[in-house]
Amino acid sequence: MNPTMSAVKLTPFRKILIANRGEIALRVMRTAKRLGYETVAVYSTADANARHVREADQAVWIGESQPSQSYLRIDGIIEAAKASGADAVHPGYGFLAENAEFAKACRAAGLVFIGPSPEAIHAMGNKAGAKDIMQKAGVPCVPGYQGEDQSDATMLTAAKRIGFPVMIKAVAGGGGRGMRLVPDEAAFPDSLRAARSEAQNAFGDPHVILERAIVQPRHIEIQVFGDRHGNAIHLGERDCSVQRRHQKLIEEAPSPAVSPELRARMGATAVAAVKAISYEGAGTLEFLLDAAGNYYFMEMNTRLQVEHPVTEAITGLDLVELQLRVAGGEPLPLTQDEVKFSGHAIEVRLCAEDAAHGFMPQSGRMLRWRAPSELRVEDALESGGEIPPFYDSMIAKIISHGATRDEARRRLTAGLAQMSALGVTTNQSFLACSLDHPAFAAGQATTAFIDEHSSDLLGVKTSEGLHTAVAALLVHVSAIGPVHAQQHLGLAHGYPIPMRLNLDGHIVEPTVRRERGDVFRVGLAESEHALTLGARNGDVLHFTSDGVLDSATFVREGADLYFNFAGATSHVRDLSHAAVMKAGDAGSDGKLRASMNGRVVSVLAKAGDTVAAGAPIIVLEAMKMQHVHAAPVSGKLATLNAAEGDQVTTGFVIAEIEATQDAA
């Protein structure tokens, strides 16, 4: 114990308002309740029926669905704390977690902020300021530009001096938002504009910095903790190299690329950095590690991380409990020598997104949710619950722990196969393919992993023929009612029933014929599959194919059916009774449709304009990411049906373009 502890004032509290939502709010609640604290949830209109609202002791509405009108409203959250009688605030991660003004407002209101001081957040939460502190402390940093002059000309000059490829990063950013990798000078102006716009919408600050892009590095972060008694420790590293759009998808601890000696060096660097600013609470220093073993400081996250469960798994510590104890004035309960590591842990982020179409964010109703029974799962999901389009696309975290890395990987792969997330497209299959990929299995994944192996990672885990046959059978069975109440089908040997299905965006036209009893034969263009029905337990159908007993979990709603088979989740739309479109209709009818539920943040053309195919028309924001929607054909922009600020749904016709004669 630090000898000055007796002079340090304790700050006890009894009721914690959690200034966040979803799985992180529930995660904080779990530890807070175990330690005897009361909890208060806050919620937006979109989250009125959310689990974190129901499971808190109290809940306060703080505004409309947009984050700027609710979870980013400092005044609203402070008022909610006062109204509920809360005397402490836990910010979670995202939203206001790294906002120095929020921490300062909590202090001014007499609330204990469960996190670092406003001064530390300001010093290390700002990317430019943090790099300056690290450079003065002798910590290796990525070469770049973090000056006050943000003019286009100055930024371009700096980018050319640094050398392409260059990375643009939002000063106040995190989670990959406001970040662009720019390959060359020609792409720089548009990338700069997009990064600034995204940074302004996500963080209220358009300022950016530039960094040299380190090619194919590892993304390594060090978990640190400090207390107000001058103590600081690190809890080892996490490898977060598997990313898309600069956002992490798979995290593990320890890193397969970090030796004990390198861990000690990086840990000492991190501890020295936080001691230099008298840091209090949980924090993470993020580094890029190149193939030669050189590491470069990127940024510090002055909060709890999404991926903290893998550190908890290998250390046996509850990081939220440490946060609460440190915030109350207690010293850290262990020294660096007492930190022990056991086994290996891996976490995957289940996201509502379509990996096959550029990881496009998705939203809607989760018709069926069943979490793996043998793994740790952090989520706020439930069958029938809505996934709103206003927030981050991550909807659950699945964590495995094993004696070895391969054991942890196998357990996580098995858990993903057991899991059901039906009704909203997720990256479940993509995650399973990533874990199974030889490069990941060998511990060789860098930040280039997804780009290098995308074709492998987007593949179906079973034969396409059998997968299609199962889809056709499930659509047929769900249409005719309970499996064992099919006497109305008539003769034992039925005629082939033609079907037309949209299976994961591809049109297939199988036939289904009842051969005898519970034996069905599904005919495809080049093959035929015999499937024998077994028992049906709720939403699980058992069947035998080629002598192998198997099963699929499915749910149907109208013409849409969602199913999970052999670890792959698919969406099927039954078009058997729909009118057949003429060839080319879908791609050349001149209608620009919204690819997701989202909010129009920018309109880049106006009715009457002549536009070329591929020209940007509007920018939609969904789940905190911006997506440009471009003209499908060249021609005249005849109608524009959306304005800035409008909320549109998937498939909504944003604009109609009258194709020019040349384009036709």
Side-chain angles (χ1 to χ4, degrees), residues 49 64 126 167 169 223 251 289 366 425 626 658:
N49 298 313
E64 297 300 330
N126 179 285
M167 190 72 76
K169 292 184 175 181
Q223 176 70 61
E251 302 102 345
L289 177 69
M366 184 66 74
T425 300
Q626 293 189 2
E658 294 177 354

Side-chain angles (χ1 to χ4, degrees), residues 222-307:
I222 305 291
Q223 176 70 61
V224 293
F225 257 94
D227 64 26
R228 68 186 63 174
H229 307 278
N231 305 309
I233 60 174
H234 75 84
L235 301 179
E237 84 284 355
R238 297 183 288 257
D239 193 317
C240 308
S241 299
V242 179
Q243 305 175 5
R244 53 92 179 96
R245 292 198 305 256
H246 310 296
Q247 291 180 307
K248 304 161 189 172
L249 282 183
I250 304 177
E251 302 102 345
E252 59 182 308
S255 167
V258 174
S259 66
E261 184 274 335
L262 180 56
R263 179 176 302 116
R265 283 197 292 125
M266 296 182 75
T269 297
V271 168
V274 298
K275 279 189 172 182
I277 58 171
S278 301
Y279 191 84
E280 180 181 334
T284 306
L285 279 84
E286 305 205 0
F287 299 89
L288 293 178
L289 177 69
D290 68 19
N294 303 305
Y295 61 92
Y296 302 92
F297 172 80
M298 286 196 301
E299 63 186 13
M300 182 177 184
N301 292 306
T302 53
R303 53 169 168 81
L304 195 67
Q305 292 279 90
V306 172
E307 56 272 21

Side-chain angles (χ1 to χ4, degrees), residues 2 18 22 88 154 164 183 389 431 456 541 565:
N2 191 294
I18 303 163
T154 296
F164 291 96
L431 294 172
D456 296 335
L541 179 66
F565 169 57

